[in-house]
Amino acid sequence: MTAYQSRSSAGPAYETFLRDCPEYRATAVLDELRSREFSRLDAERQIYLDYTGGGLYAASQIRRHNDFLLLRVLGNPHSASPTSRLATDLLEKCRRHVLAFFDASPEEYAVVFTANASQALKLVGESYPFESEDTFLLTFDNHNSVNGIREFDRVRGARTVYIPVAPPDLRVEDAVVDRFLESARPGRNNLFAYPAQSNFSGVQHPLEWIGRAQARGWDVLLDAAAFVPTNRLDLSRWHPDYVALSFYKMFGYPTGVGALIARRPALEKLHRPWFAGGTITVASVQADRYYLASGPTAFEDGTPDYLNIPAVDIGLDFLESIGIDLIHRRVACLTGWLIESLLALRHSSGRPLVRLYGPAGTEGRGGALAMNFHDREGRFIDHTVIGEQAARRNISLRTGCFCNPGAGEVALGISEGEMLACFGRSPGRMEYEDLRRCIDGKSSGAVRVSFGLVSNFDDANAMVEFARELLE
Ligand SMILES: Cc1ncc(COP(=O)(O)O)c(C=O)c1O
């Protein structure tokens, strides 16, 4: 343990924290894990608070993958040679493991390996059979990789409908969702997309929406990228048509591999707009025809990342050896304490230092907190300044709008008119700096802190100590 660590996790704040969240003690195995597998964090005195940006890998994941690569001979998959067959077998083994991890029946679901969650979302967007009269329905609170699907439906004449989120919690009431869901057009293609956990506010939108939407004729695309690193997604209980995720967010390594987990009939519904090496059974130049392969193969363009996909298997083993519920419990404790501690900080003027965007409790939310800092007169302190000051203290947090402009605009009180005026002023090109200047007097972004796999009290306390220094 570093001197810094022992200082904060032995102090009175830690005692209060334990009193408020006694179940934290039951997660002590994660402290051992951190010193054994993630010692580089404390050796480098890094306060890592950006798990929603990217997870961290354990030393043993790298060793296992390294040993595997040094021992085995792998060839490009999907051929009859022994090295190719080994690569193919390992891909299939990993597909089965992904399904088992999420309790998904192989009869019901298939796994398509992608480069990341964004590519999984794009696969749905470009292949969903949108036509005029069809609808793409989505919440304001969505990552840009979901928002971008609207460009596919637009060129095919379908309509895009957004469901607003309401401040201050940035949730949508069930009754409001139901009203929008009623607008499904019978016999048409209706796609509804939302995040299981917001990467802006940490809000966990109800998984109950999945069944309610399907009962009204919607196909449901669940963006699970920010949810699955610290929450159980049980696909034997919830049955979204499409699920998108990135593995590096779950266990840090490898980057460059994600998945689209799709219900088999929902996968059949998708029509690829092109074909590529690996996605067809037969293609002819002279006959100008091709036949797409069936199942996941039709969606994996070119050579899959067959050296790194076995590292996903290793990462899943690693998470299973800990248990996602244990991680979830620890993250909930830290989140509750950090919210309370930050909201309690006040300037001598009586004004609060921190304005939190999203729920101020732990119910129905995950471990990502978006906020802005304010001076003693109540003026916001630019989020980029906070980012720079945090970096000087070795604190890794994230600033900006986190690729989630819908939640950001609502949280920051930026109206449609203001955004249209800014876009109108820069018809050719617009940089983020131009937007910051245009949204005068309001913050154009926020600060995000997020917990994950080996977060501990010292990380949370370091954030509070940093915030306290910003008073006055
Ligand atoms: C909710 C959510 N969806 C999608 C993405 C996109 O993930 P990737 O950049 O790995 O494609 C992210 C990344 O932060 C996210 O948080």
Side-chain angles (χ1 to χ4, degrees):
M1 219 183 244
T2 63
Y4 174 72
Q5 250 194 314
S6 48
R7 191 185 69 219
S8 62
S9 56
Y14 187 54
E15 296 307 318
T16 315
F17 165 69
L18 285 180
R19 210 180 44 236
D20 290 350
C21 206
E23 59 269 35
Y24 186 81
R25 287 184 198 279
T27 69
V29 63
L30 289 167
D31 293 318
E32 290 155 33
L33 189 84
R34 176 164 167 150
S35 51
R36 201 173 61 242
E37 293 271 15
F38 297 82
S39 57
R40 65 191 190 281
L41 258 182
D42 296 319
E44 284 204 3
R45 295 179 160 243
Q46 295 291 338
I47 312 294
Y48 191 75
L49 292 169
D50 190 22
Y51 284 86
T52 299
L56 298 179
Y57 54 80
S60 63
Q61 282 172 256
I62 306 302
R63 274 191 222 106
R64 267 187 74 187
H65 188 227
N66 193 43
D67 289 350
F68 160 82
L69 291 175
L70 291 174
L71 283 175
R72 308 309 296 261
V73 183
L74 292 163
N76 193 318
H78 305 135
S79 162
S81 74
T83 50
S84 173
R85 226 183 284 149
L86 176 62
T88 310
D89 288 349
L90 290 169
L91 291 185
E92 296 314 311
K93 176 169 173 270
C94 191
R95 267 190 237 282
R96 290 193 296 276
H97 199 168
V98 173
L99 290 176
F101 184 87
F102 292 109
D103 287 311
S105 148
E107 282 75 44
E108 183 181 5
Y109 279 99
V111 173
V112 176
F113 287 118
T114 60
N116 46 34
S118 299
Q119 199 204 349
L121 294 162
K122 181 171 180 238
L123 275 178
V124 176
E126 70 178 15
S127 309
Y128 192 78
F130 285 121
E131 291 175 359
S132 60
E133 306 295 311
D134 292 348
T135 307
F136 177 43
L137 176 68
L138 67 168
T139 47
F140 263 50
D141 182 8
N142 258 308
H143 192 275
N144 266 339
S145 300
V146 177
N147 288 321
I149 293 175
R150 72 186 186 205
E151 302 305 318
F152 288 114
D153 81 59
R154 192 166 285 162
V155 291
R156 306 217 206 111
R159 59 179 183 148
T160 304
V161 180
Y162 272 105
I163 308 177
V165 293
D169 277 11
L170 305 178
R171 297 188 196 274
V172 192
E173 278 180 27
D174 282 352
V176 173
V177 171
D178 285 343
R179 211 175 58 237
F180 278 91
L181 291 177
E182 289 302 337
S183 70
R185 290 177 170 156
R188 309 299 319 178
N189 296 305
N190 303 293
L191 181 65
F192 172 44
Y194 73 98
Q197 177 171 315
S198 169
N199 71 319
F200 186 95
S201 63
V203 162
Q204 294 182 340
H205 298 291
L207 295 172
E208 284 79 4
W209 290 354
I210 298 166
R212 292 227 294 276
Q214 287 166 332
R216 291 167 171 86
W218 296 90
D219 296 312
V220 178
L221 167 56
L222 187 72
D223 177 0
F227 182 81
V228 287
T230 57
N231 298 278
R232 179 172 297 282
L233 178 63
D234 179 350
L235 293 178
S236 68
R237 177 166 179 215
W238 312 107
H239 301 271
D241 295 280
Y242 309 104
V243 179
L245 55 89
S246 283
F247 290 110
Y248 72 88
K249 290 194 192 288
M250 297 175 70
F251 36 76
Y253 177 85
T255 49
V257 188
L260 172 66
I261 308 176
R263 291 185 63 238
R264 290 183 182 275
L267 201 58
E268 291 284 306
K269 184 168 181 170
L270 302 180
H271 301 292
R272 301 289 324 268
W274 81 319
F275 64 89
T279 69
I280 45 111
T281 53
V282 181
S284 164
V285 168
Q286 295 183 86
D288 193 18
R289 295 273 305 272
Y290 69 93
Y291 293 97
L292 266 189
S294 62
T297 319
F299 295 87
E300 292 171 353
D301 297 338
T303 303
D305 195 345
Y306 63 92
L307 294 185
N308 275 321
I309 288 172
V312 170
D313 217 12
I314 293 169
L316 292 171
D317 279 346
F318 180 70
L319 273 194
E320 282 166 343
S321 72
I322 305 161
I324 200 84
D325 296 329
L326 192 78
I327 300 164
H328 177 88
R329 251 185 285 154
R330 169 169 284 226
V331 165
C333 282
L334 294 172
T335 303
W337 183 82
L338 184 60
I339 291 175
E340 252 183 47
S341 306
L342 289 176
L343 293 184
L345 296 175
R346 299 208 161 242
H347 290 283
S348 58
S349 61
R351 291 182 192 273
L353 173 72
V354 171
R355 172 149 182 228
L356 183 76
Y357 305 116
T362 52
E363 198 59 33
R365 68 127 60 242
L369 316 178
M371 66 197 81
N372 263 317
F373 290 78
H374 294 259
D375 67 15
R376 64 193 312 275
E377 310 302 335
R379 292 172 300 232
F380 71 84
I381 306 170
D382 197 287
H383 54 92
T384 58
V385 172
I386 300 291
E388 286 159 16
Q389 295 192 3
R392 275 187 230 127
R393 288 159 182 78
N394 262 8
I395 298 178
S396 292
L397 41 71
R398 195 156 282 255
T399 60
C401 81
F402 329 120
C403 298
N404 190 329
E409 286 163 27
V410 174
L412 303 168
I414 302 169
S415 68
E416 179 182 346
E418 285 171 290
M419 285 308 294
L420 284 172
C422 290
F423 277 95
R425 260 190 248 167
S426 307
R429 232 190 122 65
M430 190 188 219
E431 302 293 339
Y432 188 60
E433 270 311 305
D434 301 326
L435 178 67
R436 273 159 53 80
R437 270 194 294 275
C438 182
I439 304 291
D440 201 20
K442 288 182 186 170
S443 180
S444 61
V447 175
R448 185 184 72 194
V449 170
S450 54
F451 293 116
L453 187 56
V454 285
S455 293
N456 64 13
F457 177 76
D458 297 313
D459 296 330
N461 197 47
M463 183 63 204
V464 175
E465 283 183 8
F466 164 60
R468 194 171 282 126
E469 286 171 24
L470 296 167
L471 286 173
E472 309 312 329

